[in-house]
Amino acid sequence: RKEVEQDPGPFNVPEGATVAFNCTYSNSASQSFFWYRQDCRKEPKLLMSVYSSGNEDGRFTAQLNRASQYISLLIRDSKLSDSATYLCVVPATGGGNKLTFGTGTQLKVEL
Amino acid sequence: DAGVTQSPTHLIKTRGQHVTLRCSPISGHKSVSWYQQVLGQGPQFIFQYYEKEERGRGNFPDRFSARQFPNYSSELNVNALLLGDSALYLCASSLGYRAGDYEQYFGPGTRLTVT
């Protein structure tokens, strides 16, 4: 099993739609998780951190299911500007700064 | 405030050559990590340096090496370049040592093409 797995997409959705991405992770000891956003040919930028069962920031909601070892990201009322690749990220346990990234899920929001 | 800076922006090298990539972290950040991102994949961890010492190494060959200077800037060196080394090389800086405790900020990357 890969350390972090995501559906690569692409997800093509109309403006205003609600879209959800799932991510599974293999290390049951992982305590914190991140969603990063990466625009085409740009660097990844932190979108949300998830430390407990979930986190909400405006139109974005992240949920964590430790029993099933998956994290989800929900985007409500999609905007054209939400078009990007969304990376599920699991930090190293036990020390160090290593981040393990999924392959990313590509989202295209269309008129 | 200046973010993470990397140089050069783009680079074209031929197989067998050597390359040096540079990174300046955000002021006050002591940790620098390097990642390689090939097209269609997420970034892969190469190295972490914290307080000028190597604190982590990913699954990369010995052709890859790095160092951190007293001002916390860092260099990534790759020897004997292969076509497969073509990628976006990202530098990330953070305040502290542990990935779960401190946000990592990425630089714009260096796009390396090996021909």
Side-chain angles (χ1 to χ4, degrees), chain A residues 2 32 34 36 38 40-46 49 51 87 91-104, chain B residues 10 31 33 35 37 40-45 48 55 88 90 94 96-100 102-104 106-108 111:
Chain A
K2 285 186 177 180
S32 57
F34 305 113
Y36 275 72
Q38 186 172 28
C40 187
R41 303 182 74 82
K42 298 287 189 180
E43 72 273 22
K45 293 186 178 179
L46 181 64
S49 304
Y51 294 105
L87 295 158
T93 57
N97 237 352
K98 175 184 175 182
L99 297 176
T100 300
F101 287 79
T103 54
Chain B
H10 296 85
S31 175
S33 298
Y35 291 82
Q37 186 175 24
Q41 299 294 317
Q44 297 291 312
F45 175 77
Q48 179 199 2
R55 296 301 189 102
L88 179 67
L90 294 159
S94 67
Y97 167 62
R98 292 173 60 88
Y102 298 94
E103 179 176 349
Q104 294 191 43
F106 284 83
R111 191 163 299 278

Side-chain angles (χ1 to χ4, degrees), chain B residues 32-53:
Chain B
V32 170
S33 298
W34 287 94
Y35 291 82
Q36 179 197 65
Q37 186 175 24
V38 300
L39 199 61
Q41 299 294 317
Q44 297 291 312
F45 175 77
I46 309 175
F47 286 110
Q48 179 199 2
Y49 277 77
Y50 178 73
E51 287 281 20
K52 293 155 282 187
E53 290 187 8

Side-chain angles (χ1 to χ4, degrees), chain B residues 63-81:
Chain B
R63 300 184 296 107
F64 289 76
S65 64
R67 55 180 175 168
Q68 187 176 35
F69 298 99
N71 66 353
Y72 301 108
S73 66
S74 178
E75 282 183 355
L76 175 70
N77 295 284
V78 187
N79 292 325
L81 285 167

Side-chain angles (χ1 to χ4, degrees), chain A residues 21-67:
Chain A
F21 308 135
N22 288 328
C23 167
T24 58
Y25 60 94
S26 62
N27 186 354
S28 60
S30 297
Q31 294 295 311
S32 57
F33 307 87
F34 305 113
W35 283 100
Y36 275 72
R37 170 192 169 129
Q38 186 172 28
D39 293 290
C40 187
R41 303 182 74 82
K42 298 287 189 180
E43 72 273 22
K45 293 186 178 179
L46 181 64
L47 179 66
M48 295 188 77
S49 304
V50 187
Y51 294 105
S52 57
S53 61
N55 192 7
E56 185 170 331
D57 183 5
R59 298 183 295 109
F60 298 84
T61 300
Q63 290 190 316
L64 168 63
N65 184 320
R66 291 190 189 276

